[in-house]
Amino acid sequence: MKFFIDTADLKEIEKAASWGCLSGVTTNPSLYAKTGGKLADFEGHMVKICKICEGLPVSAEATAETTEGMIEEGERLASLAPNVVVKLPVTEQSLPAIHHLAQEGVRVNMTLVFSAPQALLGARAGARYISPFVGRFDDIGDEGLDHLREMVDAIHNYRYGYWDEEGGPEIITASVRTPHHVTQAALMGADIATVPFGALQKCVRHPLTDRGLELFAADWAKVTSQA
């Protein structure tokens, strides 16, 4: 399974990229707002992320609400860098935009996906990536991983005529909160997990690892004290 980082923070992206495990970046308007960024600087900020992650997919979300606006904004975002992926929500307005952009060779990440029918419609329209949200189901007392499993099984049943040569469409497990989400997504065959930096750090750590390091350090201190 590939790891994407779900952030617009340049320092977090640089740190995650330095680990050698990063396969892409996803952003959205809320994540960009958290950086304190201004509207006038948005596209430049996306270009900076694309340079940090050269050759890796970087999702930049369009905010237009009409099909025509999504196409126009999507084409503009795609022109910023060759590794930009246009992010669009699943709506009646976005499906024709996804189809149009796919026919132009523009990769689309369809986001805010909460059901298998939504995922299947997006894949058929030509989305390169499908992003089911796990944690938001958990927020309302539902089991997000059960819904993710349905979408993984459904999408992987078929071929869609778009992005076959790239292994697409790929499923991005989104709204990831915990290492457990990552583990279960991997076990059920999700292609990608996009993880906030804090949750990514939790994936690296384990209390038994910390305890083992403490024991090794203490034992080595005994050895060096006898030198």
Side-chain angles (χ1 to χ4, degrees):
M1 187 175 67
K2 301 174 187 175
F3 282 94
F4 286 12
I5 187 169
D6 193 32
T7 184
D9 187 293
L10 299 180
K11 291 183 179 180
E12 290 182 346
I13 294 167
E14 288 172 344
K15 181 69 172 179
S18 74
W19 294 356
C21 307
L22 194 64
S23 297
V25 179
T26 55
T27 70
N28 61 42
S30 297
L31 293 173
Y32 178 65
K34 287 181 181 179
T35 70
K38 298 178 180 179
L39 177 61
D41 301 325
F42 172 72
E43 292 185 2
H45 192 85
M46 292 300 107
V47 170
K48 290 178 182 178
I49 295 175
C50 288
K51 288 181 178 178
I52 294 170
C53 300
E54 187 174 359
L56 302 178
V58 174
S59 290
E61 187 158 349
T63 56
E65 296 181 355
T66 66
T67 299
E68 295 75 13
M70 291 176 185
I71 292 171
E72 180 181 354
E73 190 174 353
E75 290 172 339
R76 187 174 71 253
L77 289 171
S79 71
L80 296 176
N83 53 328
V84 165
V85 175
V86 177
K87 200 172 184 184
L88 293 174
V90 53
T91 65
E92 290 184 26
Q93 291 72 33
S94 73
L95 290 173
I98 291 168
H99 185 60
H100 180 96
L101 292 168
Q103 290 181 317
E104 292 184 339
V106 175
R107 294 166 181 81
V108 174
N109 174 4
M110 192 178 74
T111 189
L112 289 174
V113 179
F114 292 95
S115 72
Q118 288 179 323
L120 289 163
L121 286 166
R124 184 60 64 192
R128 175 63 178 82
Y129 300 95
I130 308 290
S131 290
F133 279 42
V134 174
R136 295 198 187 182
F137 274 114
D138 296 349
D139 291 342
I140 61 170
D142 203 344
E143 180 52 68
L145 290 169
D146 288 345
H147 293 279
L148 176 64
R149 184 176 290 104
E150 289 180 350
M151 288 182 255
V152 169
D153 290 346
I155 291 295
H156 288 171
N157 274 339
Y158 305 101
R159 298 172 69 89
Y160 301 92
Y162 294 94
W163 316 112
D164 290 342
E165 70 284 359
E166 298 182 3
E170 291 181 283
I171 295 177
I172 302 177
T173 306
S175 188
V176 170
R177 308 284 174 77
T178 66
H180 178 68
H181 284 159
V182 174
T183 300
Q184 294 306 310
L187 288 172
M188 70 181 66
D191 304 289
I192 301 159
T194 187
V195 187
F197 188 63
L200 200 59
Q201 288 177 308
K202 291 179 183 177
C203 290
V204 178
R205 299 167 182 160
H206 193 282
L208 293 178
T209 303
D210 295 340
R211 179 58 179 156
L213 289 171
E214 291 171 2
L215 291 172
F216 288 160
D219 288 340
W220 190 247
K222 295 175 185 178
V223 172
T224 57
S225 67
Q226 297 173 2

